[in-house]
Amino acid sequence: MAEFTAAVYQNEFLPDGGTDVSAIVTVTCAGAGSAGQRGAGEAGEIIIVDTSGSMGRTRLEAAKVAAAAAVDQIDDGTWFAVIAGAHQAYLAFPSVRAGAGMVKMDSGARHGAHQAIRMFRADGGTAMGTWLTLAGRLFDSVPFLAKKHAILLTDGENHNETPEQLTNAILGATGKFQCDCRGVGVDWEVSEVRRIAQALLGTVDIVPQPDQLQAEFAKLISDSMSRGVADAQLRVWAPQGAQVVFVRQVSPTVEDLTARRVAVNPLTGGYPTGSWGDESRDYHVNIRLSAKALGQEQLAARVQLAVGGEVVAQGLVKARWSSDDALTTRINPEVAHYTGQTELAEAIQDGLAAKAAGDAETATQKLGRAVQLAAATGNDEATSRLRKVVDIDNPETGTVRLKRAVDRADEMALDTASTKTTRVRG
Amino acid sequence: MTTPLLPEPVTESVPAPPEPGTDATAAIRCPSCGSEVTPAAAFCEVCGTRLDPVSEAPEPDAEVLEAPIELTRPVHAPEPAAATAVPARPCTSCGGVVGPDGYCETCGTKALSERDHYTEQPASWVAACCDKGVRHHRNEDAAAVAADPQPGSRAVLVVCDGVSTSADSDVASLAAVRAARAVLLAAQPVGMGTLVSRTAALAAAIQRAVESANEAVVAHTAPQSENPASCTFSAAVAIGDLIVFGNVGDSRTYWLPDPGGVERAAQLSVDDSVAQARMDMGVSRQEAETGPQSHAITNWLGKDSPDVKAQTGSITVADPGWLLVCSDGLWNYASEAEALQQLIHDLGGGGTDPLPICEALVAWANKQGGKDNITAALARLDRAPAA
């Protein structure tokens, strides 16, 4: 059985009158096993490939190879389907008109899927909302699926539907399945695709060259197959009268979960975390309490992970009021680190947005701050990505100049990777 | 507690609860909520927990028959292990349910463990209350009391105050008071000796109790400890009109006759402390007890004890009043005997049940700030003047 553990990193000491408690809670899963193998429900995978006219011959051929590689990575016994996406979504495989829109993987189905993928033609526009909606309906057609995961490949902007239509489609898919999104080339919009990935608890990344697609798709599916815990919920209990200021995932990526709260009971909020493999994720919670007398101790939060409605791990966030400045002024290194990493992600995204809007001054200031934070928190990956967009005069003060000529792929890579964080511990 | 110079460790240790009911001399308590229950009770009247009375009491053997203190039967909880690990009584702050992690499920307040706050009342006229206080993280004070049922007959009061800068002082102090109480209970004065011989015998018993308490403290110290557990000691035995007392460190014994009588309130014990040394040199109490190192003690129990020897004394009393043994968590806020005398009178409203007064003294000290653990043990000596 999968085993979850939780560890809490915080400074529990508050000064007289102090109210805000911050803590990093690391949740670790071990022994997750393979998807669909636990008897707690089966696994489903849907491969969504952009077949719009803009894909052209080169990219489409690469996408076909990638989709076939993804199909090869799906374990026998896993339910699956392949969607061809353009201004409408087409169920490419299995070719059914009624009943279950997915089939169980075996050698025959794998062969059939390969053949269907070979038939893809680049034609039509792009309406990603329709792709998501079809995927949701396909997953719904197999009611006993516990783990539902899709990969989505796109190459262009979502021209053939309004932002509202896409928003509605994302809302309709949220909570139904998880989706990792990849953009090939540089003609797609990072913020648009990130919106899908964030809502559907997946990742977003750029695949600059078509020949990189095959490896990327194979890895996405094999990673998904190794997530044996289909779904889990982060729960945060806070005392009566307290305020949960924010709940964020801060590792492996920054995701603000605060607004995704669903009430478990009046004092406990649940936040979706999707499926788990053998991995660790860090969460940053911030709770505002009413101050108590010096010397008093109280619980500020119970941070739990629940699988199938059952709490499998719990970390306790505490508050103790003290008059000892040596205790209350101590800054917890984990909290400080992730506070910096969260600000780093914001600074990168804000800086790139300002740059795109032609506001060079704000862009320089924000990206300069990002350089400073990346250096201070030891995020070398972010530093090297930033280096491709700005010339760094002084990383400590964050003094930078915008590069005159920037490879668009490098800028998009900086954007998609902005939420990736480094760990403070080994 | 004395000289808390260092911050307390962040690590939590759940001190062993005082195991109410397992001690032959302790009052029987509900293992769930700590309320006193009668030996025959099948349910706790306070919290409704199902009890397991030993309905067929074991035949008392010869030794038991000779024992001067009424023995009490053990009370079993349905799940004793759970009862000790998880305080099942409601949250003291909001009345909510306390979770298995030891915090209230509604307001998050840390539940008081049995060790953090407990009371004892072995007889109607003797009681003790021992409390963590407000500021401290754990209760390193301990109290153990015993008494014959007949009011004014015989009482044993022992208080130890663990030094907070040493390790495991909470466990050690509890072991110390229990060891000392056992020695003092066994020291039944034999025959019809003179007052002088009785007094000397009791003083010697107190010295033996100190040695036994010291052994208990050392036994609860890890061999390699760089901060060996240590504590103070103050004990008083009252037999009829005779009070014999002894102390090590700065826990105290007071005689507090009811106001308006002939006798004056007095601090009987003499502290082993820097403050006391300065008072001996002529410094005023006020100045000595608030000045530098006022809480530094010059003698204590434990592996690194300077001298395991109690300062003992005795007094015979005639007026009705209170014999008080307490820790500095109480006398910090009322050091003068007259102040304590007045305080008990004000808090008790002339009542003679010691338990509510002990609890009121603790609550009062908490209200003054509760900077330290607080312990008050009282015996009501209520001889009618004519008798």
Side-chain angles (χ1 to χ4, degrees):
Chain A
M1 269 310 279
E3 288 204 2
F4 286 88
T5 51
V8 178
Y9 304 88
Q10 67 161 145
N11 177 12
E12 66 204 67
F13 293 99
L14 291 173
D16 196 7
T19 56
D20 287 18
V21 184
S22 238
I24 302 297
V25 182
T26 299
V27 180
T28 303
C29 175
S34 297
Q37 303 297 306
R38 288 280 170 210
E42 302 193 27
E45 291 284 340
I46 293 180
I47 298 161
I48 308 171
V49 179
D50 189 341
T51 60
S52 63
S54 61
M55 285 290 280
R57 174 176 282 274
T58 318
R59 282 192 200 149
L60 188 71
E61 288 309 313
K64 287 180 181 179
V65 174
V71 166
D72 289 342
Q73 289 296 324
I74 296 175
D75 294 340
D76 282 6
T78 302
W79 293 77
F80 83 109
V82 181
I83 292 175
H87 57 279
Q88 283 185 306
Y90 302 93
L91 174 57
F93 187 87
S95 54
V96 293
R97 293 195 168 274
M102 302 177 76
V103 291
K104 265 190 163 179
M105 179 64 85
D106 57 22
S107 57
R110 193 172 284 116
H111 178 73
H114 280 186
Q115 279 198 317
I117 289 166
R118 237 174 268 141
M119 304 284 283
F120 284 175
R121 283 192 308 128
D123 192 17
T126 304
M128 288 187 277
T130 65
W131 314 352
L132 299 175
T133 304
L134 176 59
R137 277 171 41 209
L138 295 177
F139 280 126
D140 284 348
S141 72
V142 186
F144 42 81
L145 291 183
K147 178 174 180 296
K148 291 171 274 190
H149 174 251
I151 57 178
L152 182 154
L153 176 72
T154 185
D155 84 315
E157 294 179 42
N158 204 38
H159 284 309
N160 294 81
E161 61 186 357
T162 63
E164 291 71 33
Q165 283 175 308
L166 179 59
T167 301
N168 287 336
I170 292 172
L171 281 176
T174 301
K176 277 190 180 171
F177 61 97
Q178 284 183 260
C179 188
D180 287 309
C181 302
R182 294 295 178 267
V184 62
V186 295
D187 298 326
W188 55 284
E189 195 58 50
V190 174
S191 60
E192 195 169 73
V193 179
R194 178 157 50 215
R195 207 148 63 87
I196 300 172
Q198 283 186 333
L200 303 187
L201 309 176
T203 57
V204 60
D205 208 348
I206 179 172
V207 182
Q209 300 302 325
D211 60 6
Q212 298 162 328
L213 269 178
Q214 183 183 357
E216 186 73 17
F217 263 43
K219 184 173 186 321
L220 283 177
I221 294 289
S222 70
D223 283 355
S224 177
M225 290 284 101
S226 72
R227 292 196 199 106
V229 179
D231 196 19
Q233 184 184 47
L234 184 75
R235 289 183 179 176
V236 178
W237 171 97
Q240 198 157 56
Q243 180 196 352
V244 179
V245 180
F246 62 76
V247 177
R248 289 182 195 137
Q249 179 186 287
V250 288
S251 176
T253 57
V254 177
E255 302 289 349
D256 196 338
L257 305 176
T258 315
R260 300 189 195 177
R261 182 186 197 274
V262 291
V264 174
N265 60 49
L267 299 177
T268 308
Y271 306 84
T273 68
S275 58
W276 286 69
D278 291 349
E279 61 180 307
S280 277
R281 298 183 198 175
D282 292 347
Y283 297 95
H284 186 174
V285 295
N286 188 285
I287 312 289
R288 185 160 299 158
L289 304 165
S290 36
K292 286 198 167 184
L294 286 173
Q296 294 285 359
E297 169 174 349
Q298 86 158 88
L299 198 59
R302 292 180 172 92
V303 179
Q304 305 167 327
L305 200 79
V307 175
E310 201 170 303
V311 174
V312 292
Q314 172 170 280
L316 300 181
V317 179
K318 295 171 189 173
R320 285 169 65 184
W321 284 266
S322 168
S323 57
D324 186 344
D325 290 348
L327 296 174
T328 58
T329 57
R330 224 164 36 189
I331 293 170
N332 178 272
E334 285 81 7
V335 171
H337 175 81
Y338 283 127
T339 303
Q341 295 269 294
T342 303
E343 194 191 341
L344 170 63
E346 281 169 7
I348 290 173
Q349 288 174 26
D350 291 352
L352 290 177
K355 185 167 179 287
D359 182 352
E361 195 184 330
T362 304
T364 306
Q365 186 243 321
K366 293 282 185 187
L367 293 173
R369 176 65 181 150
V371 165
Q372 197 180 19
L373 287 163
T377 57
N379 191 335
D380 297 337
E381 194 187 327
T383 300
S384 73
R385 287 182 197 279
L386 280 161
R387 215 175 266 289
K388 291 174 178 168
V389 179
V390 294
D391 289 317
I392 300 172
D393 290 340
N394 185 340
E396 278 169 33
T397 59
T399 312
V400 302
R401 283 166 291 120
L402 299 181
K403 276 183 188 288
R404 285 186 185 283
V406 177
D407 187 338
R408 173 137 168 88
D410 286 337
E411 203 170 294
M412 290 172 75
L414 175 62
D415 200 350
T416 57
S418 62
T419 61
K420 282 184 192 160
T421 55
T422 53
R423 278 229 144 97
V424 70
R425 309 171 292 280
Chain B
M1 203 287 318
T2 50
T3 47
L5 294 173
L6 295 173
E8 293 188 37
V10 178
T11 51
E12 280 178 50
S13 67
V14 180
E19 301 158 37
T22 57
D23 192 312
T25 55
I28 316 178
R29 295 187 178 282
C30 167
S32 177
C33 73
S35 304
E36 241 182 279
V37 294
T38 66
F43 292 91
C44 171
E45 289 196 9
V46 176
C47 72
T49 295
R50 194 180 166 80
L51 304 174
D52 183 13
V54 186
S55 51
E56 293 162 38
E59 282 296 314
D61 57 26
E63 202 182 337
V64 171
L65 285 171
E66 282 173 3
I69 298 299
E70 187 184 342
L71 287 175
T72 49
R73 286 178 297 173
V75 175
H76 303 289
E79 291 169 25
T84 52
V86 180
R89 68 178 79 173
C91 171
T92 50
S93 179
C94 75
V97 175
V98 173
D101 50 25
Y103 294 88
C104 175
E105 290 187 345
T106 304
C107 73
T109 299
K110 188 175 187 186
L112 287 180
S113 72
E114 187 67 35
R115 183 68 183 89
D116 288 338
H117 178 100
Y118 68 93
T119 58
E120 288 189 358
Q121 187 168 24
S124 64
W125 59 291
V126 171
C129 181
C130 180
D131 185 86
K132 183 169 74 74
V134 174
R135 295 288 190 94
H136 274 253
H137 186 47
R138 13 172 236 203
N139 185 10
E140 288 160 339
D141 272 12
V145 294
D148 289 348
Q150 177 62 39
S153 52
R154 186 170 82 123
V156 171
L157 312 178
V158 189
V159 169
C160 288
D161 172 352
V163 175
S164 71
T165 49
S166 58
D168 300 328
S169 285
D170 54 333
V171 181
S173 63
L174 189 59
V177 289
R178 297 203 162 173
R181 178 176 63 185
V183 169
L184 293 173
L185 272 175
Q188 182 82 300
V190 189
M192 306 293 286
T194 61
L195 176 64
V196 173
S197 74
R198 277 204 300 164
T199 306
L202 283 171
I206 285 179
Q207 179 55 32
R208 287 201 305 281
V210 165
E211 285 155 15
S212 180
N214 187 60
E215 284 163 22
V217 172
V218 173
H220 284 86
T221 305
Q224 307 301 329
S225 176
E226 292 184 4
N227 253 334
S230 44
C231 67
T232 69
F233 176 98
S234 194
V237 179
I239 296 181
D241 57 2
L242 172 65
I243 298 169
V244 182
F245 52 90
N247 78 299
V248 176
D250 67 353
S251 296
R252 290 181 179 172
T253 300
Y254 290 88
W255 166 241
L256 307 171
D258 295 345
V262 180
E263 291 176 14
R264 295 197 54 186
Q267 177 187 335
L268 303 180
S269 58
V270 180
D271 294 353
D272 298 313
S273 70
V274 171
Q276 182 63 46
R278 294 185 69 208
M279 279 190 270
D280 291 345
M281 289 187 296
V283 177
S284 77
R285 177 185 286 267
Q286 162 77 16
E287 190 186 333
E289 287 182 352
T290 54
Q293 288 206 291
S294 57
H295 281 81
I297 52 174
T298 53
N299 197 8
W300 56 85
L301 302 187
K303 207 171 144 192
D304 57 355
S305 166
D307 181 15
V308 185
K309 194 159 178 4
Q311 303 194 59
T312 57
S314 66
I315 182 176
T316 50
V317 298
D319 279 358
W322 295 98
L323 172 62
L324 169 70
V325 181
C326 66
S327 67
D328 61 349
L330 177 63
W331 68 249
N332 271 333
Y333 300 112
S335 176
E336 299 278 2
E338 289 78 12
L340 284 164
Q341 178 186 39
Q342 189 61 42
L343 185 64
I344 287 184
H345 183 74
D346 294 347
L347 293 171
T352 56
D353 184 351
L355 185 59
I357 298 178
C358 284
E359 287 176 327
L361 285 168
V362 164
W364 176 83
N366 273 325
K367 216 170 161 187
Q368 309 309 305
K371 275 197 286 191
D372 201 347
N373 306 143
I374 305 152
T375 304
L378 283 175
R380 176 69 193 171
L381 304 183
D382 230 356
R383 277 164 302 281

